[in-house]
Each structure stands twice: as structure tokens, then as C-alpha cells.
Amino acid sequence: MKRLYIGGLGHTVSEKDLKDRFGKFGDVSDVEIVTRKDENGAPLKRFGYININITDAEYKRCVGILNKSTWKGGTLLIQLAKESFLHRLAEERQQLVEKAKAPKIIPQEKLVDSFKAAGVENFHMKAAVPGTEIPGHANWVVSKFGRVLPVVNLKGKGKNKVFKYDPSKHCHNIKRLETADDVTSVSKLTWEIKGGDDEISKKRRGEFPKQKPCPKRSKIDLSLFLSNLAQRNAMNAAATGNKNKVAIQQNGLSAVKTGKQKSVCVFDNDSDSEDEIRMLVAQEHLRNPKQTSTEDDDDNLEVVGDDFVVKSNAFWGGVEQDDVKTSLLTSTKDDEEYDSADTDEILTRRKTQTQAESAPVTQDSPTESSKNKSSSESDEGSDEADDEDDVSVDSDYEAMMGNCYRLDLSLADLEQLAKKAEVISDDESVEEPKEEAKTPSAPPKKTGNNPEDILASLLVDDTPEKESKKKKYQVNTVSLPAFIGTKDLFGGPEPSLKRLAPNIDGESSKRLKQDLKLKEQSISEDTQSSNRLSQQKLSTLNIQRGAKKLESKASTSEDDSSSEESESSGDEDVFTSKTSSASQSVVPETELKTVSSNNSKTPVKPNQTKTSRSSSSGSSSEESESSEDEDSAGVLTSKTPSVAQSVKTISKTQMKSVSSNNSKTPVKPNQTKTSRSSSSGSSSEESESSEEEDNAKVLTSKTSLATPLARTIPETELKTVSTNNSIKPKQTKTSRSSSSDSSSEESETSDDENSRTQTKDSKSADSKSVQENVVSHQTVPHSTVIDAKKQQQDNQKRLAALEQRQKETEQQKKLIQGALSNVDAAKVNKSKHIVFDSDEDDEEEDETTSRPEQPPTNLKKSLFEDDSGSDEDQQTSMLEEKKNNKPGGSKLFDSEDEDDGAEDEQFQIKPQFEGKAGQKLMELQASFGTDSRFQVDSRFLESDAEPEDQDEAAPEEDADKQLLEEKKKSLDILQSILNTNIQPQNTRKGKMFKDVSSLHYDPTQEEHTAFEAKTEEPKKESKAARRKKRIEAEKLPEVSKDVYFDISVDLKEVFGTSKENQDKKETVSWDKEAEDPEDIMKHMEVSFTSNAEANEDTSGGFKFSFFGEDTAVETTTKTDEYKIETVKGAKFSWQADPRFQDSSSDEEEVDEVEEDQSASNEITEEPTTSKKTFFFFYQNDERLKGEI
Amino acid sequence: MRPLTDEETKTMFEKLSKYIGENIKLLIDRPDGTYCFRLHNDRVYYMSEKILKLATNISRDKLVSVGTCFGKFTKTQKFRLHITALDFLAPYAKFKVWVKPGSEQSFLYGNHVMKSGLGRITENTAQYQGVVVYSMADVPLGFGVAAKTTQECRKVDPMSIVVFHQADIGEYIRSEDTLT
């Protein structure tokens, strides 16, 4: 039976057709037709299978006939096909069934059976030698222990790939299988171990101890971790401790959540409520707050804000900052305060400030301190212990270093200070502990038991702190000090002068300049200055200490007076001159005043008393006044404030009054002898009168000076008061006048000259005073006769130099005034602006503006000068030229002192300019003819001299400009870099900062006295000076004011008519320039005298004459001083111990300096020194008896 | 000796501003006088107008140093600050770092500042911010660059570098020859 495949059937072929067609060849049993269709259902092809019982021959015939024959539309393809699937399946099943019917045979059993037959039982053959083969089984061998094992063929790697393993030959690795005979049943196995009570055995037994509540801990740790995370997020580093808690609070909720989760998974304890968890957290935190803190700042790392102030002020300008702050607070108004003289004040301030600083620091850094505290308190970890050590080390180190660098300062800078270093270090050590104490002293913040309380408190503490910090930050950023070089310290007076120049307050600036110049001169003069300086500094420092304590205004005023006294005594050191500047400077603070005044307390040496009398001319008068003040304490108090303010605000009217006072005083009959002095000023009066007459008279004259002021001058009290103090400004003028007088005397020119000069002075002072001066100028001849002393020529020359300087300063002042007035009056005369120097115009304008009251005088003047004609003008110009050439002139070259020569050289600069100016003037006059406007005027020349300077300084200005441009450029660049708006500071207004880092100690500089250690000198003779004042004060009441009035009236009547014209002119000019009258007078002189004489005289009058007059003044002053001291001696009986007074008042300190002088000079002082040995009182002390 | 060009000025100011920020203004615009920067031998000197004028009297080849040397321009025209500028950086520094006494010496020998030696640091210090290094007694020791922010400084391990060393006052001795 075969199964055939028949392909290529036509569509019409059916099964029956197939059966029929193949029926011929065999018996067809099963026919199956399959139709393949495409997707559309259309038939593709048809084929079929048939089972046919056919023989091979028949099959071949069938294939031969029917294969590839077409039948009913298709070509047949006949092939043999596999048996049908179903058929095969059925066959297989049938076979399986047949198999199952057959019996199974297990080969192992067969083997065992065969072994049994061979005598092997259970694979063991007893009593068989290993290696014997088992009969019937080729591959089985007896091995060790009689065991029957198969020989195994193993596949090997080597050459013989099959390795035959014969177990009998490898017996050694076979172990005996032990058959356990006693088999224990499971029930008999050990189920229980009996042992002791120790934990292991218990645990072995399965008894575990009760579970500890450790899960809580794990919770808290989690919360802490969270808090730390929160901290990180918070990003604020500063408030670590507080923040921790805040964060914890914040994390309370989150901790709760996590706690819940944990409870779910770990503890299976859902009952924990939020509150409970919170409580747990808080308690845990309370229990060990250190944990958190230590976690945060494990290394005691401190994080500080931007506003952290570096302690080492001394190095890096912290002083400056302080200075800035203080100055900002105290004296914004003052421009002069930045003067270098303030350093000691700064230092004194600093002490207090450091203390003040320490306090805020403690407030600021509770967090830090708390941190430290916590770390120090923490006992837990060894790390923390280490931290503690670190802290202690740090503090020690700080202390050490603190002392160290201060000590360095002292050593490096001052030997003297090094001596006192111990004291200072002690003081600072007192301060330092305070700073250090902040950590322990910081209040412990964590006091509350309740977590909410703690949190609340912390929050409260935190916020304000931050705010304050912010504020601080702002402030600090603003207040960063500008950098300051040492320029100011070493640069000398020039910068300050420059600064002052634009200052509107012309007078103050003028004064300052003058003082500075004086200073220079004095430096050149003083050979012994260095030694003295050191002593002075020491003493002054000591005095300062005392003075600072006493803030009473009276004391300050007294100090002022004493300083002035010292000036009068004549030791013209840098200090004295500076003190004058300082005292006059606008500083409203009493402290500064005291300081400056203290500086002025130099031990006056006898030599110097002679030298600098000229300067004392003004100051001595002040002295008297100050003594007055001393007696009347109330007056003083009222005065001192006015003094402070007056300096700045001294109006011209006050100046007038002052000058008028000077001019008026001379009117006394007593002064007929000292007529010169009267003209010059009260001081000269005093000195001369003391020489020749009784002290009482001198004093009276002084008093007359002082008291009439108040009455005669119809001004407010304040003004009068200020006039007393403001005599200094006047001083320049008076001294000038005095110098002119002296010069005239020396040259011994005619009386007329003197009178003229004096009148000039008086005119400059006041119109009234002019008339009065006329009176005084009558007396001049006497004075000339009297003053023949030429022993003191040196001093005179010095005086002259001083005067010249003063003059120069006045010139500068004039310039300023002119500029100011020009500003005011520019509109009026703009049309007049002509080609030549604008300064001339300005001058003219100044004149016109200055004399708005007297327009006729201008006319008169012009007329008058027209009369004199161009010749005169030319003459004057010539004269001035000569002056210029001679400035150092006859006297200067004659001078024996080299110092003077040096000074003269300094002076020579100006005259040269004047010479140029003179030439210019000549040219101008040649071109403009006799125009009255261009008449020679000393003011003109002097004012012109300045422009000359400027011309020469033009290149410098260019350089400056370039620098400024550069600066601007760099600022622009900076701006571009920083993207911020940077505005250049107003350098003028900026305060003078000092770069302390680059500061080197210079014993010659006054400011550096602050660095010196102060040694206290016994205060002995200060009382003498004081007594002096007192005596003077006592005598003041004696002065009769009536006399003054009378004389003034008479003088006016007598002389007013003759010189009205000139007087008026000069009075007008006075306000702005005191020199105009002088010039005019010079012209007059020229006209009167021969040319040669006139030249010399005028020159002398202009500059040289000062020397002459100065000499006279000096002589008088000298005598005056000597006599005054004698007076003291007379009074010493009751004053025996000055100390008593010293203890009572600050002035004593000031007076100390003068001790030396007085001691050397006079015998009277000696007793005081002898008594100094006692420290306080002794029985029957005279002081107690005599004075209070 | 010549003034700086704009580019040089910018370079230098950028460098300086890393340490003192806008406080450069205070160096340029000082109330006590005119101060300026000058370039000489590739080095930048800061001097007052007065010194400048004095220095004009000295020929270029003979002039070794004038004023305060702030630093020098490298061959690649970068600016490098010298320790001599510390005097001007320290007072105005915005960000400061205090080193513990123990690691002072290490720093002064030219080593970086480790976390273990860090005693104090200004808050909010950014990474690579220029900082001035002080001793705990507030003596400026030098300057450098913060290697880590303040926040990071708290976390890092003690041996990690916190401040990169740039200059210290030990250089006054170590490199005495090259400091001008």
C-alpha cells in the first residue's frame, strides 16, 4: 500500500474521479483533495493524496501512463508521498503497547547476580588480594579492603589519550567505609544543652535578654542627620549653633514622618504620635547639645562675617579707622584737624575704643562663644578634648602675640618707650583679658528646658543679630579707610599749606602757614633741639595724661595761656609754633587743645628767651589775658568754647577790634617811654615797662588793653571774648609793626619814618587806631633813644626773619582775600578786564570792593598819587627792585648766625619774584603811562609774586594734570571691571589718614610724641608762671580805663586832621591788606628823603626794618621776662610749694616745662626746687597757709 | 618707567579686585595725595607723585625699584602679585583666612593651608576667591586663593587643602633676591 501524491488536478476533478482513474492500477482506499486558495478565495492549485494498494510494477505503469498527462484541464504529477500522519501515529502507539507487554530486565541486578555467582557479595570480596580480577567480569578488580571496583578508562590530555585507571594500583586513597552499627534514632538526638547562666549559654539555649530601647536613639540620629541636611541647605554658615536648633525645629515634622515610617518597618509601633517623637527629639537634643555642635565645627573652625575687625590695628591702619570714626564724629567741620598733630589724640582715643570694641564683640559673637563653650564643655569625644587644647593654645598665643607686637613697636620705634614698655604692656594686658574673656563671659544661651522655649529664644536672638550684622556690614563697607602714606608725616608743611590755600577761612590758613614757617626757622635755629625735644616729649606726655583726666574748660583755657606763655618765654621749637597753630586751629574739642598746649610746654632755656621775644609780642599780651581768665573761672568757661569756634569764624570785624585794641593800648601816658612798644602791641609794652618801670605799670597797661576792649568796642560779648583769644591773628600784624619799628630804630632813620611806619600799622589795624597811632608816633623818638642795645642783634635778626615769614603769610592771605573779593565783585569790573595780568585788576577790584563806604577816598588817592606823578611811581618801583635784590640784604649778610643765613636763603626766593614783578610793573607803566590804576602798589607786587610762582610751577601742574588724567583713566577701567559706579573722592575734603604701617618714629616730629613713654617730671615752677599770671591778673583791676579814653580822644583831635587822607585810604586797605599803608608811607618817605637813604630805608622798612624793630622789641621783652621773674621771687614766700597748686590744677603741668628756665634764670625759684623733694604736705606747710 | 597701558591696568585691576574688590579705588584715589602705578622692568610699582618725580632723576637701567612693588607681568602678560603688595591688600581684603598657630610656620614656608590649620574664615567665601591669610593674632602672613568654599571647609577632612598658597611673608627671606 502506497500513498501517492497527485498534483496538478483540475478544478473539476472530484474524489470519485480520482478513485476511478487510479482504480485500474490498484485498490484505492482513501482519497484526499486539497485546494490552495489565495486571499480572495480564488483557487490557485489543487492536489490530492490517495492511498492505493498497488504493486511496484503497477506503480511504474501508473506513473508512466498518468504522470504528466493532462486530465480535465490540469497536468498530473504523480509522486510517492509519506505515510499519513495519523497513520504513523497509530502505528507508534501500537508499538508502545506492544513494548509494555514485554518484561523489564534491570542490568544492575544482572551484575549483582553475576557477581554473586562469582563470589562477590555487596561489591566486597573477602580474603582477596587487591588486584585480582573477578572471574566473568573483565573490568572489575578487587581493590583495598576487598572492595570490588571497576577499572575506569579516563580521557587524558597527553599522548595516550585514554588513561586506564586501575583502582587496585591506587589503593592508598581509598578509605575504609565504616558501617555504623549503633544507629541512634532521631528522638534520641540531643535536643537540650545543659549549662551555666552566662549569656552565651543562655543564648545557646535560646534565651535572649530583653530588648533595649535603642530604637529611639536611632530615630534621633536620623533627625540630627536631617537637621544637618537642612543646615546645608540653609547655606548660612555664621549662626551655626542657633541654626542647628532652628533646623531641628524645621525638621521636627520631617523627623516625625520618618519616625512613622521607621516605626512601621522596624518597631512595628504605630502608636508613636508626632508629639511624642518631637518630645523625644527635643529631649535628646537637650541631653547632648554638644553632639550637634561638635558635628558641625569639629575642628573648632570659626566662620566670621565680612565685618570682622582685625585686631592688630597698630599694623594695618586700624588706628586710621578709629581716627576716621572719631574724626567723623567729632570734627567734621574742621579742615585743619587732620593735621599730623592729632596722632596722640588718636592714640588716646584708641585705648578707649579698644575697650568699646571689645564690648560689641562680645555681643556680636554669642554664637561663636557658645560654640567654643560647647566644644570646651563637651566631655564625650577625644576630638573635643583636642579642640579644647587648641582653644587654650590659641588664647595663649593671642595674648603672647598681642604683647609681642606691641612690644615690637616700642622697641623698634622708641628706646624710651621700651623703658616704659612694661607699663604699657600692663595696660594692654588689662585690655586683652577683656577681649579674651568674651568667650567665657558670653551668656549661655541654652537655658530653657522646654524645647519650644529654646527655639523661640534662639529665633529671637538670631534675627536681630543678623540685622545688626547687616547694618554693620554696610557701615563698614562705607567706612573703609583710604590708604595713606607717610607723606603727611614726613612731607612737612607744604601739603597742608596747599590744602589750606583754597580754604575760605583765610585767616586761619594764614596763621597756620605762618606757624609752619616759624617751625622751620626754629628747626634751623635750634641746635640743641633734639635733646630738648625728647625731654619735652616725655614731660608733655606725662602732662597729657593728667590733662586728659581733667576736662574742665578752665583747665584747657589755662593750658592755652600757658602755651602762649611758653611761646613768650621764647623757646621757639617746632612744638611751640605748632601749638600755636593747634590752639588756633579750629578744633572744637578741648582735648586736642590740651594736647597741643601740652606740647608747647617746653622747658624754656635762658638762651632762647632772648631769641624769640619777637614772637612773644603778641603772645605775651595773650598771656596776661589768660591770667585774667584764670582768676575769673566763669569767664574762662564762657571763653573757651568761643575760643574753639572763634578761630574758624573770626570775622574781620573781630580782627579789627583786636587790632584796634592793640592800637589803643599805646595811648597810656606811662608808655611814653615805650612808645614803640605801644605801637607794636601790648606785649612790647609789657616788656619794656617791666624793664624800665614797675611791673605794676606794665600790668596796668596790659589791663588797660584788655578791659578797654570790652568797653570801648561796641560789639557783642562773644566778640570781645573771642578777641581775647583771637589776639593771635593780630599777633602777626602787631609783630609786623613791631618789626618795622625795630628796623627803623636800627637804621636810626628819621623820626618821620618811624611815625610813618607806625601810622601804617595803625591804619592797617583800624581807622581809629590810626589816629591813635599818630599820637603814639610822637613818642617814638624817645623810644629810639632808649633802644640802643645791640647785644641782641642775633635775636633781632631772627625776629626779623620771623616777621618776614609772617609777612609772607600775610601776602598769601591777601591773595586769598583778593580772590574772594574778586568772586564777589567780578561782575562790576568785568568790562575793565584788560590784557595784562588779571591779578592787577583783581587788586583794583579788591580795593574798590573793600572800600564801598568811601568811594571818595579812591578818588582822593588817585588824585594824590597823580600829583606825585609817574616819577614817584618809577622811583618806588626801583626801590622795590632794590628791595628785592637786597632782601636778605644788609642785615642778613651781616648776620653772624649761620642759621639766619639759611633762613635768609629761604626768604630770598620771594624777593626774586618780587623783582620780576617789579620789572613787569615797570613795563606796564611804560605802556600805560600815568594811569592811576597802575600805580605802584606793594600789594600789587606781592600779589603778583604769586602768579610768578604759579608760572614756574606750570610744568608741575602739567604733570599733575597728567597724573590726574591717569587716575581718571584707571578709575574708569576699574569701573568697567567692577561694573560699579565709582566716583572719585573729593580729595580736598578727605581727611588726612595716616598709614601707620609705614610710619617710622621720628623724634623730631611732634606727633610722634604719642609713641614715647612718658616720664613724669616734678612740677615745680609751673606755679611760678601761674603766679605770674595771677599777679598780672591782680594788677589788671588797677588799670584805669579812663586814661585810655582820654588819650585816644586827644590823639584823634591832634593828628586826625593832618593825615586824614592817607588814613582813610589805609584804613580801607587794611581790611584786606595791611601792607598798603606801608607802601604809601614808603612813597612818602622817598619823597622826603634823599634817594639813597630812601632806598635803604624803604627796603629796610619793607623787610630789613623788621630786624631793627625786632631788636628793640626783643630787648624789651627780655628785660620784661627777667623782671617778671623777680616779681615772682618776691611772691615766692607764700607760694613756697607750687605742688599744692599743681595738684589742684592742670596748668601746673604746662608750667613744668618752664621750670628749667626759671630755675636757671632766677634765684627765687631755687627754694621751690628744694622743696620739691617732699612729695605732699608736711606740717606747717606754707602752701596751705598761703594760698588756696 | 612708564604708566600702565589700559590693557595692563585692566589685567592688574582684575587681579587686585580678587582680593580687595572695589577698594582698589582707595588706592587710586587717595585723599592724601596723588598716587599712581608705574611699570618698570615688567614690574608694577605703586608710588606717590612725589616719589615719582624723584625717580625721574634716575636712569632706567640703574633704577632697581621705586615705591612699592605690587607684582609683575609675566611673559604671557598675566599679572602676578608679589608679597610686597600685602601691605596694601591686607587692610582692604574682603575675605580673610586665619591660620592656627601650629600651621603658621607651614604656611610661611610656602605650603598650602590645610583644613587642620584653618582657624577662622570669612563667611560666604567663594571657591577660588582671593583671600588674605592672617595669623590668629591678626598679623597678615600672606595671601592665596580659597580652594573650597566656606561651606565646604566645614565638611572636608582635615588634610584637604583649603587655601592655595600664593605668597607669604616668608618670601622676604626665601626669595630675597627676586623681590623688588
Side-chain angles (χ1 to χ4, degrees), chain A residues 193-210:
Chain A
I193 296 175
K194 293 167 184 174
D197 285 338
D198 54 331
E199 283 193 0
I200 290 178
S201 56
K202 274 184 184 175
K203 279 180 182 170
R204 256 178 219 156
R205 276 175 290 177
E207 301 173 0
F208 295 103
K210 264 193 176 182

Side-chain angles (χ1 to χ4, degrees), chain A residues 613 620 670-695 697-698 701 738 741-742 745 779 782-784 786-787 789 1109-1121 1123-1124:
Chain A
R613 274 185 199 163
S620 62
N670 299 336
Q671 298 158 354
T672 52
K673 291 180 182 179
T674 65
S675 61
R676 261 190 308 108
S677 65
S678 67
S679 65
S680 63
S682 65
S683 64
S684 59
E685 288 178 5
E686 178 187 345
S687 61
E688 288 190 2
S689 62
S690 62
E691 258 195 7
E692 300 163 359
E693 299 178 358
D694 291 345
N695 293 330
K697 286 183 180 178
V698 179
S701 66
S738 66
D741 292 338
S742 62
E745 289 173 4
T779 61
H782 303 282
S783 64
T784 55
I786 292 166
D787 295 334
K789 304 172 183 176
E1109 290 187 359
D1110 291 342
T1111 56
V1113 175
E1114 288 171 1
T1115 55
T1116 57
T1117 52
K1118 283 179 181 179
T1119 54
D1120 183 9
E1121 286 180 355
K1123 290 215 171 183
I1124 287 171

Side-chain angles (χ1 to χ4, degrees), chain A residues 237 240 302-304 308 311-312 316 397 480-485 487 960 966-967 969 978 982 984-985, chain B residues 6 13 22-23 25 29-30 32 38 49 87-88 92 98 104 119-123 137-138 140 151 154:
Chain A
T240 55
E302 214 175 332
V303 176
V304 297
F308 186 84
K311 278 184 298 181
S312 62
W316 300 108
Y397 180 77
L480 256 181
F483 198 87
I484 290 274
K487 183 186 121 196
D960 289 345
E966 188 186 329
K967 186 173 162 187
K969 216 193 306 179
L978 297 174
I982 295 172
Q985 298 175 345
Chain B
D6 285 356
F13 281 178
E22 74 275 3
N23 289 336
K25 176 187 66 172
D29 194 16
R30 282 171 66 158
D32 61 335
R38 283 289 180 275
E49 168 199 14
D87 288 352
F88 296 87
Y92 301 128
W98 287 261
E104 244 177 55
R120 199 187 290 155
I121 188 172
T122 310
E123 68 179 348
D138 288 338
Q151 294 304 316
R154 313 172 134 213

Side-chain angles (χ1 to χ4, degrees), chain A residues 494-560:
Chain A
E494 287 131 324
S496 60
L497 283 178
K498 277 185 190 173
R499 243 176 291 133
L500 290 174
N503 197 2
I504 297 176
D505 191 2
E507 295 167 356
S508 61
S509 67
K510 181 194 79 179
R511 243 175 282 136
L512 194 87
K513 285 178 188 173
Q514 179 185 348
D515 293 335
L516 289 173
K517 284 179 181 175
L518 285 174
K519 183 172 99 181
E520 288 177 1
Q521 191 184 1
S522 62
I523 289 173
S524 61
E525 283 181 5
D526 266 342
T527 56
Q528 313 163 344
S529 62
S530 63
N531 297 334
R532 231 178 294 134
L533 283 179
S534 60
Q535 291 179 354
Q536 287 173 0
K537 282 174 186 172
L538 294 177
S539 62
T540 51
L541 287 177
N542 294 333
I543 292 163
Q544 281 178 2
R545 283 184 183 172
K548 283 165 194 167
K549 292 173 185 173
L550 303 177
E551 297 175 355
S552 65
K553 295 174 182 177
S555 66
T556 57
S557 65
E558 287 178 356
D559 285 345
D560 289 346

Side-chain angles (χ1 to χ4, degrees), chain A residues 827-877:
Chain A
K827 13 154 195 183
V828 180
N829 288 334
K830 267 197 177 176
S831 60
K832 287 183 181 178
H833 211 291
I834 314 178
V835 184
F836 49 75
D837 282 350
S838 60
D839 290 346
E840 297 175 355
D841 271 319
D842 296 345
E843 290 291 354
E844 295 282 342
E845 290 171 2
D846 294 347
E847 286 184 359
T848 55
T849 53
S850 63
R851 323 165 184 169
E853 328 133 3
Q854 303 173 343
T857 54
N858 255 339
L859 288 176
K860 283 181 183 178
K861 187 184 178 184
S862 61
L863 289 174
F864 175 74
E865 287 176 358
D866 285 344
D867 294 340
S868 63
S870 62
D871 294 344
E872 231 187 72
D873 293 346
Q874 285 183 355
Q875 278 184 352
T876 54
S877 64

Side-chain angles (χ1 to χ4, degrees), chain B residues 44-63:
Chain B
V44 175
Y45 295 94
Y46 178 66
M47 71 197 80
S48 73
E49 168 199 14
K50 214 163 111 195
I51 303 252
L52 177 64
K53 281 175 185 161
L54 293 178
T56 53
N57 296 323
I58 300 173
S59 64
R60 242 189 296 171
D61 52 339
K62 298 285 195 301
L63 183 61

Side-chain angles (χ1 to χ4, degrees), chain B residues 85-96:
Chain B
L86 180 66
D87 288 352
F88 296 87
L89 296 184
Y92 301 128
K94 297 245 160 164
F95 294 94
K96 306 179 179 108

